[in-house]
Amino acid sequence: MKRIAVVTGASAGMGRDFVIAADREFAPEEIWVIARREDRLVALQDDVKAKIVPLALDLSKPEAWDEYSAKLEAEKPEICLLINAAGYGKFCTFEKYDLNEQLGMIDLNIKGLTAMCHRSLPYMKEGDKIINLGSNSSWQPVPYIGVYGAGKAYVLSFSRALGRELKTRGIQVLCACPGWVRTEFMDRAVNDDTIKYYDRWYESKDVVDKAMKDLRKGKTVSICGLPVRLQVFMVKHLPTDWIMSIWCKQQGKP
């Protein structure tokens, strides 16, 4: 039985850096890389030792989950590492922004991630790992990023619950919750000046390396950077209305 890693959202940003880290840390025979842009997936072979298996799928679509399942059933590998890094955000006023775009966030960020976990688990065993990509937005309601933030709150809650269920199987689940990261995610997320204030930027590689370090330590949540950790501490101890008011004031909103 061959050992593989599976990485979604692998064509750019943190997904790409997770592919490189998975190759370095787990030495799988193959890495199944999933995203819509096949040419970028193929190009990943230059960065890793493992064989790259590109799967050009749109994980917001149920037919993509079925295609992935069919490939698993045909090859019956062991998934030593599943990384769900696919997702996108839109910074916008909820009532004024396109509904289909906002529902698309739910389809990919929530449904796609959930489906990938469910379809992958029959091919995982004791010692295997799952990393789900959350966000600093996972910890609080975030006006003007409401749908995205709520989706990432789901990812954090789901990851923690799933990790507890899988303890009996010896499978670890970690949720990485980064702050602002310089990737192509921001190119799609930012449409106007709805969000104006970004307190601190992090590099994708640093977030990924921290997640891998925390995975080795057996942690369930990974937070890169002391400022982000302090924000999370505040969110846990201050009233939610206060936290939203601080955020809105930073963004010049009432």
Side-chain angles (χ1 to χ4, degrees):
M1 179 185 296
K2 65 184 174 184
R3 293 175 70 253
I4 71 168
V6 178
V7 184
T8 74
S11 60
M14 280 188 282
R16 180 182 178 277
D17 286 334
F18 268 124
V19 171
I20 296 170
D23 183 65
R24 179 183 70 240
E25 301 282 341
F26 285 78
E29 296 171 62
E30 296 179 358
I31 305 178
W32 293 12
V33 289
I34 302 176
R36 292 179 300 172
R37 295 173 289 188
E38 185 173 14
D39 56 333
R40 289 200 177 189
L41 298 177
V42 171
L44 286 165
Q45 188 63 73
D46 295 335
D47 300 319
V48 298
K49 295 179 181 178
K51 178 184 177 182
I52 288 292
V53 178
L55 302 176
L57 302 173
D58 180 354
L59 291 177
S60 67
K61 309 294 185 183
E63 52 266 32
W65 316 336
D66 293 338
E67 187 173 338
Y68 172 66
S69 291
K71 186 170 179 61
L72 287 173
E73 177 60 26
E75 301 197 23
K76 294 181 170 56
E78 177 195 348
I79 301 174
C80 64
L81 177 65
L82 168 65
I83 301 176
N84 285 304
Y88 74 95
K90 287 293 182 180
F91 301 169
C92 55
T93 302
F94 173 74
E95 66 176 331
K96 294 181 180 179
Y97 201 75
D98 181 70
L99 176 61
N100 289 328
E101 282 277 15
Q102 303 204 56
L103 294 177
M105 279 187 272
I106 296 171
D107 289 339
L108 180 57
N109 300 1
I110 297 179
K111 292 183 179 180
L113 178 144
T114 305
M116 286 298 296
C117 289
H118 195 271
R119 300 294 174 92
S120 298
L121 278 171
Y123 301 89
M124 303 182 78
K125 65 181 185 180
E126 184 176 358
D128 295 334
K129 317 284 186 182
I130 297 173
I131 298 177
N132 291 329
L133 187 57
S135 167
N136 197 26
S137 301
S138 298
W139 305 95
Q140 66 190 70
V142 191
Y144 307 99
I145 315 180
V147 173
Y148 175 78
K152 290 302 182 180
Y154 170 88
V155 172
L156 175 60
S157 179
F158 170 69
S159 297
R160 284 172 151 172
L162 180 64
R164 178 55 67 95
E165 290 185 27
L166 294 177
K167 283 183 71 174
T168 57
R169 289 186 56 191
I171 297 173
Q172 179 189 357
V173 181
L174 178 137
C175 187
C177 295
W180 301 113
V181 183
R182 295 188 188 278
T183 66
E184 289 183 12
F185 170 92
M186 296 299 296
D187 296 335
R188 186 174 185 182
V190 178
N191 301 280
D192 51 33
D193 63 350
T194 298
I195 302 301
K196 304 174 183 178
Y197 175 77
Y198 304 91
D199 55 348
R200 184 183 179 93
W201 289 97
Y202 291 87
E203 297 301 323
S204 171
K205 184 178 181 299
D206 294 334
V207 174
V208 169
D209 287 348
K210 182 65 164 62
M212 286 296 178
K213 182 178 179 180
D214 289 338
L215 193 69
R216 291 193 297 270
K217 291 181 177 179
K219 293 187 176 181
T220 59
V221 175
S222 178
I223 301 173
C224 181
L226 180 60
V228 181
R229 299 180 74 86
L230 291 174
Q231 287 180 35
V232 172
F233 178 84
M234 290 177 61
V235 167
K236 288 180 176 179
H237 291 86
L238 294 177
T240 300
D241 281 347
W242 287 19
I243 295 298
M244 288 195 291
S245 294
I246 292 169
W247 163 259
C248 288
K249 184 175 181 180
Q250 290 172 335
Q251 304 305 334
K253 301 293 191 294

